[in-house]
Every structure is written in C-alpha cells, then in structure tokens.
Amino acid sequence: MWDIFLKTLPFFMLIALGYGSGRTKFFSAEATAYLTKFVFYFALSAMLFRFSANLSLDAILDWQFVFAYLVGTSVVYVLATLVALRRHRPMTEAAVEAQCAVIGNVGFLGIPMLVLLLGEAAIGPIMLVLAVDLIVFGSLIVILITGSRDGRMSPLILVTVFTGLIKNPMIVSITLGLTVSSFGWAVPVPVNEFLVLLGAAATPGALFAIGASLATKSAERVAVAGWLTFCKLVLHPAAVAIAALLVFTIDPYAAGVMIAAAALPVAGNVFILAQHYRVAPARVSASILLSTAGSVVTVSLVIGWVTGFMG
C-alpha cells in the first residue's frame, strides 16, 4: 500500500504546486482559466483522440460494465438526493448535491493517473465511465434543474442537453477517434507524433490547473461538504464495487478500473454547472476542496486494493 501511495503522490504534488501558485497569486485566476481551456480543448482532447483511434468500439463497449457502473452510481445519486430533500432543500440543490456525490474528476485526474498507474488498457473502461458521467448524469442535472424551475418538462431542455453534449470536446474527440478506428484508417505518422506531443501536456497541465482552481475555492458549509465528500470517496466506490464484483459479471481488470475511477474526488465541472445555474456554488466549492484533499489517502487505498485482484 505504501508503494501505491508513493506512486500516486507525484500527481497530488503537482496539484499542490498549482494550489500554492494560485494561493500566492503567482498564477492568477485568469491564467488558471486559460490553462484549463488549453488542457480541456487541446491537450486532453489530443490524448483522448489518440487513445480512441487505436481502440475498437466492439472491444471496449461492454454493456454489463455500463450497467454495473450505472446501477452503483445511481444508488448513491438517489441516496444523496433523498438526504438533501430530507433537509428540506429544493430539487435544484438536491440535484447539485447528488452530482457532487457521484461525478469524479475522471477527465483531468483519472485519465492521466489511472492510465499511468494501471496501464494503457485502462483507457477503454475509463472512457465508458466518462461516457456515462457525461451523457447520463451530465444530462440529468440539466433536466432536473431546468425542469424544476420551469415546473414542467419542455422539449427545449432536450435541445439544451444535446447542444451541451456535442460541444463537449471530450465527447467529440472520443467519437472522432472511434470513427477513425472503425473505418480502419491509420493515423499518419506526423499527425500521431503531433498528438503524442500535445497529449503529453495533458497530465501536468491538468493537475496543475486542478490545484490552481482549488486556490479559489472556500470551505464554507463544511458539514454538508463533508457528507458529500464521504459519498464521493467512500460510498460511491463501495456501491460500484458491489455492483461490479457481486451483482454483474465484469472482467476483474475492468472492474478494478471502474472502482478506481469511482474513487476520484468531485469534478470541477460540477462547480461550473452550479455557478452557471446559481445553485449552491459555495457548497460545491467546499466539496471539491475537501474531497480532493481527502483523496490523497483514499485513492491510494482504493488503487492498492483493486490492483490485488486485477491480475
């Protein structure tokens, strides 16, 4: 377990470096925004396109895997929603809290870290987790917030959801990469080397950007944020583990990747959504801060556990 901790530590050291740079104002909020945009639209997209262009959709699309992750995640999502409603919070806030409880930083932290720690074979399962997060739960929060505010479900909500999906560079890059793969097209050598070079910036850039963005977060509403952190770092991977190992028949390696992805801290895009809809941004901010700090230990523990049965 100590060896796993030492392997994950450099990733969190990069996050800490970004955090320190942000707190000291050496790296401004504007600089952080532009770095995040560079990673999101260029470096990470290049990495995802290159990985997916070398994958076969038939090889990675496993419906048992999708259902296992969906069921395990939905259990925690519903629990977080019910707890919020029990506290007499409106559905808009309940939807945001549920998002905090299950949506991890798969794009910026999970892809770089899990691929390096668990091998490039992890990219297929990670993409499936990312697809469920973005398509299912990313759409669900928009539907719940917009629907509860309007008091009814409108076809315009679906237009908003669809537009958001096709504008997401992670979905676009994965789709384009799998299209190239499905047609059997070979990526030209200069283009592949360009993608390798650009994609290499994704890991340090993403981790530094996570830390720098955390420097602007506050730890308000600590009690609720603590509960949501517990959901994300403990309940979510536990529920996914039960679904993957006991309920569904999942390949041990793929199950391990799924559980490790579920153990990641709250994603930064949840804060973007909360800020956009003006729903509990301070609560989300605190959840991201606490869960990222706690994940230094919990992610190492989960990865250490799953590597024991992944083979």
Side-chain angles (χ1 to χ4, degrees), residues 267-311:
N269 63 359
V270 182
F271 177 77
I272 294 172
L273 283 168
Q275 203 168 39
H276 175 75
Y277 288 107
R278 296 183 178 86
V279 180
R283 207 173 312 162
V284 177
S285 173
S287 301
I288 293 173
L289 188 61
L290 292 180
S291 64
T292 303
S295 68
V296 176
V297 175
T298 58
V299 166
S300 300
L301 291 172
V302 171
I303 292 177
W305 175 59
V306 300
T307 51
F309 63 77
M310 288 175 70

Side-chain angles (χ1 to χ4, degrees), residues 178-191:
L178 290 175
T179 301
V180 169
S181 172
S182 64
F183 280 101
W185 296 333
V187 178
V189 173
V191 174

Side-chain angles (χ1 to χ4, degrees), residues 200-259:
T203 299
L207 297 174
F208 189 95
I210 291 171
S213 65
L214 286 175
T216 63
K217 304 290 188 288
S218 61
E220 300 173 22
R221 309 295 293 269
V222 174
V224 177
W227 155 246
L228 296 176
T229 295
F230 177 73
C231 286
K232 188 67 206 69
L233 300 183
V234 179
L235 296 185
H236 189 208
V240 167
I242 292 171
L245 301 176
L246 301 178
V247 180
F248 293 86
T249 304
I250 309 296
D251 172 75
Y253 179 86
V257 175
M258 183 200 305
I259 296 164

Side-chain angles (χ1 to χ4, degrees), residues 42-254:
F42 297 99
L44 189 58
S45 295
M47 176 188 282
L48 287 172
F49 176 82
R50 187 174 68 86
F51 281 145
S52 56
N54 293 300
L55 291 172
S56 165
L57 182 60
D58 292 336
I60 68 168
L61 186 56
D62 180 348
W63 288 110
Q64 286 280 311
F65 182 100
V66 171
F67 291 140
Y69 181 74
L70 187 57
V71 168
T73 302
S74 296
V75 168
V76 181
Y77 192 96
V78 170
L79 175 63
T81 301
L82 292 175
V83 169
L85 294 176
R86 178 70 177 173
R87 294 184 357 255
H88 306 292
R89 308 317 304 163
M91 178 53 74
T92 52
E93 293 185 20
V96 168
E97 289 191 14
Q99 203 79 356
C100 287
V102 300
I103 301 302
N105 208 332
V106 179
F108 274 37
L109 179 59
I111 292 172
M113 183 168 69
L114 297 182
V115 169
L116 283 175
L117 292 178
L118 304 177
E120 284 206 8
I123 190 62
I126 294 171
M127 283 184 180
L128 288 181
V129 168
L130 191 59
V132 174
D133 282 350
L134 292 173
I135 296 172
V136 178
F137 295 101
S139 301
L140 185 57
I141 186 173
V142 175
I143 292 170
L144 289 174
I145 291 177
T146 309
S148 64
R149 281 181 173 175
D150 294 345
R152 62 186 180 87
M153 298 301 295
S154 166
L156 290 177
I157 297 176
L158 300 181
V159 174
T160 302
V161 168
F162 180 73
T163 303
L165 290 175
I166 63 174
K167 285 184 176 180
N168 189 303
M170 289 192 285
I171 290 180
V172 172
S173 56
I174 291 172
T175 302
L176 289 176
L178 290 175
T179 301
V180 169
S181 172
S182 64
F183 280 101
W185 296 333
V187 178
V189 173
V191 174
N192 189 65
E193 291 180 353
F194 162 75
L195 293 171
V196 170
L197 187 63
L198 181 57
T203 299
L207 297 174
F208 189 95
I210 291 171
S213 65
L214 286 175
T216 63
K217 304 290 188 288
S218 61
E220 300 173 22
R221 309 295 293 269
V222 174
V224 177
W227 155 246
L228 296 176
T229 295
F230 177 73
C231 286
K232 188 67 206 69
L233 300 183
V234 179
L235 296 185
H236 189 208
V240 167
I242 292 171
L245 301 176
L246 301 178
V247 180
F248 293 86
T249 304
I250 309 296
D251 172 75
Y253 179 86

